[in-house]
């Protein structure tokens, strides 16, 4: 009790969080704070450790080291309380393709204990928002990639959690839907005081919606602050430029070394 | 309760929507039923053991339930690879409930699969000794299904790829089946085989089912019930524990 009071309005507190996969340190002694009611953007190149961090915050993965407090609870020891505090849209698909869009929504609503009457209203409203109401009774496997993505987002917004994790929510969405989505999320943030923790590779999105930005690279946080402050510190004009200044311009997953390793592996497989 | 129900309902929907899976899972049991049932019928009768088809049908029903139940474990790995598992793992619901819902759903599917075999058996001449014992048969079918769905869940919770699961299945499922008395009577077996059969929980399922369907018990109805119920309970607990430790 007293601990949450002491930290004031911090809703997520991460201290020296570390995750190792064998020899690889995916998240390396990361510390940051997210305040209640803010929109927090967690930015970084591919493989930086964003999704891994979110998995640890959301009880899906046990940290190798460090401490997390989420809404006052510990995701390792107080999993149920933590799970009652957040909602999430995953980076990877997580729908049941054999079920219809509507059935996926109902499944989620029951799991998150939304009362039946409210359930119907909210499902309808959200499926209309993402323009899937007309196709609600189709099996998800018949949907296009963008339609699936829209359904995932609608599902993530179904219960109104205190914290909403959005791991690249706009991945594969057209500009219209992206625009609509961010409008809706901003509204939720204002009206319902939902804290939003998001990742995206589209810097303009982060710049537009986020109050605080943290930049992570190779598992380490290299800077955090408001988008304006980051631009100022790096002497650049936009968050995108600041991001490039902080993380460098080299592409992460196509280093010549890894291409070589891949070739070697292929040939080893042959012979 | 409604959480368990929605997980059960999901399994039902997936099952009834996938006709290919229903039919595919019938193939092997039916092959055994026809090939062995008609192939060994004459020898069995000459040995004074009665009608082999009557003897075999409960064993094949148990086989079909065993296979379908263990296959439920594969569904967990499937859900993990297609990402749906995450959706259930972050829900503010205890994972024990999730595991129970999945297990009940999977067990129901397996019992259905066993009922289909029973229906087909009627078509080729199988007869119940006492139709009033049908509820007892259903109880045994459900116990077998629960036991092995929980076992499949436990194994799947430890693995994250299909190949590994397939491998374990082959080394586990076939021996469980062949050494259960599904295909042969238990008397006059070599001591080693007899011991193994009595250590195999499936033997008690087969025997219970056979007792209920054709009136022949070799291990005793209460021994069957007690062993099955106890091992189901233990495996559900182990399965629930391992399932609750899954990381993705
Ligand atoms: N299950 C795993 N086993 C081993 N290594 C992993 C696993 N998951 C992630 N990694 C590694 O951890 C590092 C961080 O991955 P992570 O998914 O957190 O990156 P990310 O910042 O979300 O990247 P992206 O923008 O591409 O989604 C990467 O090097 C990745 O290869
Ligand atoms: Mg990621």
């Amino acid at each position: 009790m007293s601990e949450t009071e002491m930290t004031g309005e911090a809703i997520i507190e991460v201290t020296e969080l570390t995750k190792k996969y064998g020899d690889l340190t995916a998240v390396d002694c990361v510390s940051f704070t997210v305040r209640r009611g803010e929109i927090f953007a967690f930015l970084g190149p591919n493989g930086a450790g964003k999704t891994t961090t979110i998995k640890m915050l959301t009880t899906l993965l046990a940290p190798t080291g460090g401490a997390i407090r989420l809404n006052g609870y510990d995701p390792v020891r107080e999993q149920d309380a933590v799970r009652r505090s957040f909602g999430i849209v995953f980076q990877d698909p997580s729908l049941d393709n054999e079920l219809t869009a509507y059935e996926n929504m109902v499944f989620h609503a029951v799991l998150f204990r939304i009362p039946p009457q409210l359930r119907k209203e909210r499902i309808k409203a959200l499926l209309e928002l993402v323009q899937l109401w007309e196709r609600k009774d189709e099996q998800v496997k018949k949907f296009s990639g963008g339609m699936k993505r829209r359904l995932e987002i609608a599902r993530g917004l179904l219960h109104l959690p205190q914290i909403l994790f959005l791991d690249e929510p706009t991945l594969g969405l057209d500009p219209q839907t992206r625009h609509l989505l961010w409008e809706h999320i901003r509204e939720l943030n204002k009206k319902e005081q939902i804290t939003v923790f998001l990742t995206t590779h589209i810097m303009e999105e982060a710049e537009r919606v986020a109050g605080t930005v943290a930049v992570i690279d190779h598992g380490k946080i290299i800077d955090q602050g408001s988008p304006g402050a980051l631009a100022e510190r790096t002497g650049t004009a936009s968050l995108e430029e600041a991001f490039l200044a902080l993380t460098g311009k080299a592409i992460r997953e196509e280093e010549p070394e890894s291409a070589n390793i891949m070739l070697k592996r292929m040939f080893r497989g042959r012979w | 309760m409604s959480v368990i129900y929605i997980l059960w309902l999901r399994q039902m929907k997936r099952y009834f929507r996938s006709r290919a899976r229903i039919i595919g899972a019938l193939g092997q049991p039916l092959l055994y039923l026809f090939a062995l049932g008609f192939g060994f019928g004459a020898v069995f009768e000459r040995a004074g053991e009665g009608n082999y088809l009557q003897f075999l049908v409960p064993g094949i029903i148990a086989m079909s339930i065993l296979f379908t139940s263990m296959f439920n474990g594969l569904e967990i790995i499937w859900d993990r690879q297609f990402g749906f598992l995450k959706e259930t793992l972050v829900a503010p619901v205890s994972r024990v409930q999730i595991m129970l819902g999945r297990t009940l759903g999977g067990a129901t599917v397996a019992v259905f699969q066993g009922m289909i075999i029973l229906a087909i058996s009627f078509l080729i001449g199988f007869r119940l000794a006492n139709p009033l014992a049908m509820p007892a048969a259903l109880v045994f079918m459900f116990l077998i299904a629960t036991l092995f769905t929980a076992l499949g869940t436990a194994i799947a919770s430890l693995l994250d790829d299909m190949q590994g699961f397939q491998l374990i299945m082959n080394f586990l499922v076939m021996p469980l089946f062949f050494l259960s008395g599904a295909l042969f009577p238990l008397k006059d077996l070599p001591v080693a085989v007899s011991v193994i059969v009595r250590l195999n929980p499936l033997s008690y399922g087969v025997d219970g089912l056979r007792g209920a369907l054709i009136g022949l018990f070799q291990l005793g109805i209460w021994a069957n019930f007690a062993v099955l119920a106890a091992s189901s309970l233990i495996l559900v607990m182990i399965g629930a524990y391992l399932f609750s430790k899954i990381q993705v």
Side-chain angles (χ1 to χ4, degrees), chain A residues 121-137:
Chain A
E121 279 168 33
R122 291 196 56 84
I123 292 179
K124 182 153 192 282
L126 282 163
L127 285 181
E128 275 170 352
L129 176 80
V130 298
Q131 288 162 31
L132 286 175
W133 180 249
E134 249 84 87
R135 308 189 63 168
K136 66 182 193 314
D137 294 323

Side-chain angles (χ1 to χ4, degrees), chain A:
Chain A
M1 267 319 251
S2 62
E3 221 178 303
T4 37
E5 266 165 32
M6 263 162 53
T7 52
E9 68 214 304
I11 193 164
I12 304 176
E13 260 206 307
V14 171
T15 327
E16 299 180 359
L17 185 65
T18 300
K19 178 69 196 181
K20 291 190 177 150
Y21 290 113
D23 288 339
L24 177 87
T25 307
V27 174
D28 194 356
C29 213
V30 157
S31 302
F32 61 84
T33 302
V34 179
R35 315 218 151 260
R36 192 176 286 278
E38 82 172 331
I39 300 186
F40 182 94
F42 201 45
L43 306 177
N46 289 140
K50 303 180 294 294
T51 300
T52 306
T53 303
I54 290 180
K55 280 184 179 169
M56 290 190 281
L57 294 176
T58 55
T59 75
L60 285 174
L61 198 61
T64 312
I68 306 170
R69 287 254 125 193
L70 192 141
N71 200 21
Y73 303 108
D74 176 353
V76 178
R77 260 167 284 138
E78 297 158 296
Q79 300 199 326
D80 288 345
V82 167
R83 290 186 192 130
R84 273 193 294 275
S85 310
F86 72 84
I88 182 167
V89 174
F90 297 103
Q91 178 177 350
D92 314 320
S94 64
L95 298 166
D96 186 332
N97 288 315
E98 300 297 321
L99 298 184
T100 66
Y102 198 84
E103 288 167 343
N104 267 286
M105 295 293 273
V106 170
F107 185 88
H108 185 88
V110 172
L111 240 54
F112 284 78
R113 301 185 198 285
I114 302 174
Q117 194 45 45
L118 190 61
R119 181 192 304 168
K120 276 193 194 133
E121 279 168 33
R122 291 196 56 84
I123 292 179
K124 182 153 192 282
L126 282 163
L127 285 181
E128 275 170 352
L129 176 80
V130 298
Q131 288 162 31
L132 286 175
W133 180 249
E134 249 84 87
R135 308 189 63 168
K136 66 182 193 314
D137 294 323
E138 266 178 55
Q139 276 179 296
V140 171
K141 64 179 170 197
K142 293 180 189 153
F143 281 6
S144 76
M147 288 163 65
K148 286 184 191 169
R149 197 69 196 145
R150 268 147 51 193
L151 180 60
E152 298 237 17
I153 290 168
R155 191 183 64 181
L157 300 175
L158 194 52
H159 68 294
L160 294 171
Q162 295 185 54
I163 309 169
L164 184 58
F165 288 95
L166 302 169
D167 197 353
E168 297 190 35
T170 51
L171 193 76
L173 292 182
D174 57 37
Q176 291 86 339
T177 316
R178 285 213 305 262
H179 184 75
L180 201 83
L181 171 69
W182 289 122
E183 286 303 301
H184 186 77
I185 285 171
R186 260 152 75 162
E187 209 178 288
L188 278 180
N189 171 253
K190 259 199 227 113
K191 277 205 197 130
E192 315 279 346
Q193 292 294 304
I194 293 179
T195 308
V196 180
F197 184 109
L198 66 93
T199 78
T200 176
H201 289 298
I202 304 176
M203 293 301 139
E204 301 91 77
E205 287 183 346
E207 189 157 28
R208 211 163 351 110
V209 301
T212 310
V213 169
V215 178
I216 180 171
D217 197 7
H218 299 299
K220 288 197 175 76
I221 296 225
I222 44 181
D223 203 355
Q224 48 187 324
S226 70
L230 256 62
E232 207 170 298
R233 271 202 286 278
T234 50
T236 52
S238 67
L239 184 59
E240 170 130 11
E241 286 172 32
F243 180 82
L244 288 172
L246 286 165
T247 57
K249 292 196 175 161
I251 296 175
R252 294 318 151 96
E253 297 189 325
E254 291 176 42
E255 288 158 14
E257 231 177 310
S258 61
N260 269 336
I261 291 172
M262 234 160 74
L263 273 178
K264 270 186 204 150
R265 258 193 220 143
M266 274 168 63
F267 283 115
R268 214 180 297 145
R270 284 285 147 72
W271 295 333

